[in-house]
Amino acid sequence: MADAKKNRIGLEIQPYRGGKTTLCAGCGHNAISERIIDACFEMGVHPREVIKLSGIGCSSKTPAYFLGDAHGFNSVHGRMPSVGTGALLANRTLMAIGVSGDGDTGAIGIGQFVHLMRRNVPIVYIIEDNGCYGLTKGQFSPTADLGSTLKNGIVNDLPPIDTCMLAVQLGASFVARSFSGDKKQLLSILKASLSHRGTAMIDVISPCVTFNDHEGSTKSYAYAKEHDEALGEVSFVPFFEDISVEYDPGTTTAVTMHDGSKLYLKKVAEDYNPTDKLAAMRLMHETALRGEFATGILYVEPDKDDLIRQLNLVDEPLASLPLTRVRPGRDVLDEVMEQHR
Ligand SMILES: Cc1ncc(C[n+]2csc(CCOP(=O)(O)OP(=O)(O)O)c2C)c(N)n1
Ligand code: SF4
Ligand SMILES: [Mg+2]
């Protein structure tokens, strides 16, 4: 029998897998878990260096289905950002992958989401976006489009929140949108996000086959396939792959990530600069007006300081510092008291 394929750190695919999914067959969320497994395997991320985080929802159950050896915390509904921020402050060496839902993020967790983006916390934050609360039987979520209908014909009369628009405006340094049915694009985006330092916010349209895949829904497979306006082909060359890519600067934008990895965005639709915040917001606004959604890497700012740098944390994880180094001691306290007398 041929040897099973190993990645650059000598691991086979098995440790990157998790438990068997209990989600509905055909749920978009299952495809996203598969791509996370592939991306972490291909990037040679060690599962034990990862912390998986989530809130509550079908989407938030998925960390159980990938990277079985990683650390994990399935938090309260909408509270994953604060748990993740705390974990990363306690141990800056962890690589955080958070999975949330459009309800978990856009409804109960919106306040926490806003501050996560604003702080540029180093995390890959994935929203598995099906426009509904799948786990509680398909009610509209805040990302459901105006005029979209439920299975029983009820019409959504509220405008949606665009999580990517919010993330760009608030300060996230890597913002992308994809579709669970586009394997190639999603894999490239996930690989690039793993090499990013800062918040990588990825909204993935991920149809709920049980409650939101009918005609009239703008988050169904059929609608997503028809209205996905890919920004251009996303190619990612990790720093450890010695490949020099020949590209035409007239048609391809190259972005160097902080670890030296390269991101190539081959433009097909329009002249687009992914490092221009206003261009990203204009694109999202204009495509939404047409009833379309733009996919690809919408915005990237590779050198922006993340929360760890903003706080100027020591290199050693705070969690492993001994008490003798974190407690100031009597003398220091006396000195402070003296200064304020
Ligand atoms: C504090 C609290 N409020 C409400 C709920 C009920 N609840 C569970 S999951 C969920 C929404 C899930 O929607 P989403 O995040 O979009 O995940 P999906 O199931 O669609 O993947 C709600 C409202 C809860 N579990 N906890
Ligand atoms: S109810 Fe919807 S979101 Fe939940 S597992 Fe089933 S298809 Fe997926
Ligand atoms: Mg949902």
Side-chain angles (χ1 to χ4, degrees), residues 29 57-59 100-104 127-135 139 141 143 206 208:
H29 303 353
C58 297
S59 33
S100 181
D102 40 303
D104 191 67
I127 302 177
E128 301 191 341
D129 187 356
N130 53 19
C132 72
Y133 301 161
L135 191 72
Q139 303 86 346
S141 81
T143 66
S206 176
C208 166

mmCIF file of all heavy atoms in Angstrom, residues 29 57-59 100-104 127-135 139 141 143 206 208, ligand 3:
data_model
loop_
_atom_site.group_PDB
_atom_site.id
_atom_site.type_symbol
_atom_site.label_atom_id
_atom_site.label_comp_id
_atom_site.label_asym_id
_atom_site.label_seq_id
_atom_site.Cartn_x
_atom_site.Cartn_y
_atom_site.Cartn_z
ATOM 1 N N HIS A 29 -22.605 23.969 5.914
ATOM 2 C CA HIS A 29 -21.612 24.003 7.001
ATOM 3 C C HIS A 29 -20.647 22.806 6.924
ATOM 4 O O HIS A 29 -19.478 22.923 7.285
ATOM 5 C CB HIS A 29 -22.284 23.994 8.374
ATOM 6 C CG HIS A 29 -23.261 25.108 8.631
ATOM 7 N ND1 HIS A 29 -23.449 26.162 7.782
ATOM 8 C CD2 HIS A 29 -24.104 25.311 9.690
ATOM 9 C CE1 HIS A 29 -24.365 26.982 8.300
ATOM 10 N NE2 HIS A 29 -24.784 26.484 9.452
ATOM 11 N N GLY A 57 -25.391 27.312 17.755
ATOM 12 C CA GLY A 57 -26.071 27.197 16.460
ATOM 13 C C GLY A 57 -25.562 25.944 15.761
ATOM 14 O O GLY A 57 -24.618 25.308 16.239
ATOM 15 N N CYS A 58 -26.183 25.586 14.637
ATOM 16 C CA CYS A 58 -25.668 24.434 13.876
ATOM 17 C C CYS A 58 -24.218 24.718 13.493
ATOM 18 O O CYS A 58 -23.335 23.862 13.613
ATOM 19 C CB CYS A 58 -26.496 24.216 12.613
ATOM 20 S SG CYS A 58 -28.220 23.801 12.938
ATOM 21 N N SER A 59 -23.968 25.952 13.021
ATOM 22 C CA SER A 59 -22.609 26.358 12.634
ATOM 23 C C SER A 59 -21.645 26.226 13.807
ATOM 24 O O SER A 59 -20.519 25.745 13.653
ATOM 25 C CB SER A 59 -22.636 27.805 12.144
ATOM 26 O OG SER A 59 -23.625 28.555 12.836
ATOM 27 N N SER A 100 -18.830 30.870 13.699
ATOM 28 C CA SER A 100 -20.065 31.454 14.207
ATOM 29 C C SER A 100 -21.134 31.334 13.129
ATOM 30 O O SER A 100 -20.867 30.885 12.015
ATOM 31 C CB SER A 100 -19.799 32.929 14.550
ATOM 32 O OG SER A 100 -20.950 33.548 15.069
ATOM 33 N N GLY A 101 -22.340 31.749 13.481
ATOM 34 C CA GLY A 101 -23.430 31.769 12.504
ATOM 35 C C GLY A 101 -23.872 33.197 12.288
ATOM 36 O O GLY A 101 -23.472 34.110 13.020
ATOM 37 N N ASP A 102 -24.722 33.405 11.294
ATOM 38 C CA ASP A 102 -25.233 34.751 11.025
ATOM 39 C C ASP A 102 -26.116 35.222 12.178
ATOM 40 O O ASP A 102 -26.181 36.417 12.478
ATOM 41 C CB ASP A 102 -26.005 34.783 9.705
ATOM 42 C CG ASP A 102 -26.861 33.547 9.521
ATOM 43 O OD1 ASP A 102 -26.301 32.427 9.553
ATOM 44 O OD2 ASP A 102 -28.084 33.672 9.361
ATOM 45 N N GLY A 103 -26.762 34.274 12.874
ATOM 46 C CA GLY A 103 -27.558 34.631 14.044
ATOM 47 C C GLY A 103 -26.641 34.881 15.225
ATOM 48 O O GLY A 103 -26.732 35.907 15.907
ATOM 49 N N ASP A 104 -25.726 33.974 15.454
ATOM 50 C CA ASP A 104 -24.780 34.064 16.574
ATOM 51 C C ASP A 104 -23.994 35.376 16.508
ATOM 52 O O ASP A 104 -23.786 36.044 17.523
ATOM 53 C CB ASP A 104 -23.834 32.855 16.497
ATOM 54 C CG ASP A 104 -22.981 32.682 17.733
ATOM 55 O OD1 ASP A 104 -23.537 32.374 18.800
ATOM 56 O OD2 ASP A 104 -21.748 32.849 17.623
ATOM 57 N N ILE A 127 -18.018 33.183 9.524
ATOM 58 C CA ILE A 127 -19.472 33.207 9.723
ATOM 59 C C ILE A 127 -20.074 32.259 8.684
ATOM 60 O O ILE A 127 -19.903 32.453 7.480
ATOM 61 C CB ILE A 127 -20.062 34.615 9.534
ATOM 62 C CG1 ILE A 127 -19.406 35.604 10.507
ATOM 63 C CG2 ILE A 127 -21.581 34.588 9.742
ATOM 64 C CD1 ILE A 127 -19.889 37.039 10.346
ATOM 65 N N GLU A 128 -20.741 31.228 9.147
ATOM 66 C CA GLU A 128 -21.407 30.298 8.234
ATOM 67 C C GLU A 128 -22.822 30.850 8.026
ATOM 68 O O GLU A 128 -23.711 30.672 8.865
ATOM 69 C CB GLU A 128 -21.379 28.885 8.811
ATOM 70 C CG GLU A 128 -19.927 28.449 9.034
ATOM 71 C CD GLU A 128 -19.726 26.979 9.366
ATOM 72 O OE1 GLU A 128 -20.678 26.300 9.788
ATOM 73 O OE2 GLU A 128 -18.583 26.498 9.205
ATOM 74 N N ASP A 129 -22.989 31.558 6.908
ATOM 75 C CA ASP A 129 -24.126 32.457 6.720
ATOM 76 C C ASP A 129 -25.245 31.818 5.884
ATOM 77 O O ASP A 129 -25.138 31.721 4.662
ATOM 78 C CB ASP A 129 -23.574 33.731 6.038
ATOM 79 C CG ASP A 129 -24.587 34.841 5.923
ATOM 80 O OD1 ASP A 129 -25.753 34.630 6.303
ATOM 81 O OD2 ASP A 129 -24.198 35.929 5.462
ATOM 82 N N ASN A 130 -26.312 31.416 6.560
ATOM 83 C CA ASN A 130 -27.451 30.821 5.841
ATOM 84 C C ASN A 130 -28.705 31.691 5.936
ATOM 85 O O ASN A 130 -29.796 31.275 5.545
ATOM 86 C CB ASN A 130 -27.741 29.398 6.341
ATOM 87 C CG ASN A 130 -27.900 29.347 7.857
ATOM 88 O OD1 ASN A 130 -28.144 30.367 8.487
ATOM 89 N ND2 ASN A 130 -27.762 28.166 8.432
ATOM 90 N N GLY A 131 -28.559 32.886 6.481
ATOM 91 C CA GLY A 131 -29.685 33.825 6.538
ATOM 92 C C GLY A 131 -30.805 33.412 7.476
ATOM 93 O O GLY A 131 -31.897 33.990 7.439
ATOM 94 N N CYS A 132 -30.537 32.415 8.310
ATOM 95 C CA CYS A 132 -31.591 31.972 9.239
ATOM 96 C C CYS A 132 -30.989 31.359 10.502
ATOM 97 O O CYS A 132 -29.793 31.108 10.564
ATOM 98 C CB CYS A 132 -32.515 30.955 8.553
ATOM 99 S SG CYS A 132 -31.751 29.343 8.279
ATOM 100 N N TYR A 133 -31.841 31.149 11.482
ATOM 101 C CA TYR A 133 -31.432 30.431 12.695
ATOM 102 C C TYR A 133 -31.723 28.953 12.441
ATOM 103 O O TYR A 133 -32.807 28.451 12.784
ATOM 104 C CB TYR A 133 -32.244 30.900 13.904
ATOM 105 C CG TYR A 133 -32.162 32.365 14.262
ATOM 106 C CD1 TYR A 133 -33.138 32.940 15.059
ATOM 107 C CD2 TYR A 133 -31.103 33.162 13.845
ATOM 108 C CE1 TYR A 133 -33.078 34.279 15.422
ATOM 109 C CE2 TYR A 133 -31.033 34.505 14.198
ATOM 110 C CZ TYR A 133 -32.031 35.062 14.981
ATOM 111 O OH TYR A 133 -31.974 36.383 15.335
ATOM 112 N N GLY A 134 -30.785 28.238 11.842
ATOM 113 C CA GLY A 134 -31.013 26.833 11.489
ATOM 114 C C GLY A 134 -31.382 25.978 12.698
ATOM 115 O O GLY A 134 -32.362 25.232 12.681
ATOM 116 N N LEU A 135 -30.611 26.135 13.767
ATOM 117 C CA LEU A 135 -30.795 25.253 14.927
ATOM 118 C C LEU A 135 -32.178 25.372 15.549
ATOM 119 O O LEU A 135 -32.712 24.405 16.080
ATOM 120 C CB LEU A 135 -29.717 25.545 15.990
ATOM 121 C CG LEU A 135 -29.636 24.532 17.122
ATOM 122 C CD1 LEU A 135 -29.032 23.219 16.658
ATOM 123 C CD2 LEU A 135 -28.816 25.063 18.287
ATOM 124 N N GLN A 139 -35.950 30.552 11.583
ATOM 125 C CA GLN A 139 -36.434 31.944 11.596
ATOM 126 C C GLN A 139 -35.427 32.840 10.854
ATOM 127 O O GLN A 139 -34.247 32.518 10.785
ATOM 128 C CB GLN A 139 -36.567 32.447 13.048
ATOM 129 C CG GLN A 139 -37.472 31.637 13.940
ATOM 130 C CD GLN A 139 -36.768 30.451 14.601
ATOM 131 O OE1 GLN A 139 -35.670 30.056 14.230
ATOM 132 N NE2 GLN A 139 -37.432 29.870 15.572
ATOM 133 N N SER A 141 -32.703 35.550 10.132
ATOM 134 C CA SER A 141 -31.616 36.129 10.929
ATOM 135 C C SER A 141 -31.351 37.542 10.397
ATOM 136 O O SER A 141 -31.913 37.922 9.363
ATOM 137 C CB SER A 141 -30.343 35.284 10.780
ATOM 138 O OG SER A 141 -29.702 35.631 9.569
ATOM 139 N N THR A 143 -29.024 38.646 8.654
ATOM 140 C CA THR A 143 -28.396 38.751 7.316
ATOM 141 C C THR A 143 -29.391 38.388 6.210
ATOM 142 O O THR A 143 -29.040 38.401 5.031
ATOM 143 C CB THR A 143 -27.135 37.856 7.173
ATOM 144 O OG1 THR A 143 -27.538 36.482 7.236
ATOM 145 C CG2 THR A 143 -26.105 38.160 8.243
ATOM 146 N N SER A 206 -23.695 29.799 3.185
ATOM 147 C CA SER A 206 -23.698 28.371 3.488
ATOM 148 C C SER A 206 -25.143 27.884 3.633
ATOM 149 O O SER A 206 -25.700 27.890 4.740
ATOM 150 C CB SER A 206 -22.918 28.175 4.807
ATOM 151 O OG SER A 206 -22.961 26.838 5.220
ATOM 152 N N CYS A 208 -28.805 26.495 4.223
ATOM 153 C CA CYS A 208 -29.451 25.560 5.153
ATOM 154 C C CYS A 208 -30.450 24.758 4.318
ATOM 155 O O CYS A 208 -31.491 25.291 3.927
ATOM 156 C CB CYS A 208 -30.171 26.358 6.249
ATOM 157 S SG CYS A 208 -31.320 25.363 7.224
HETATM 158 MG MG MG B 3 -27.636 30.784 10.488
#
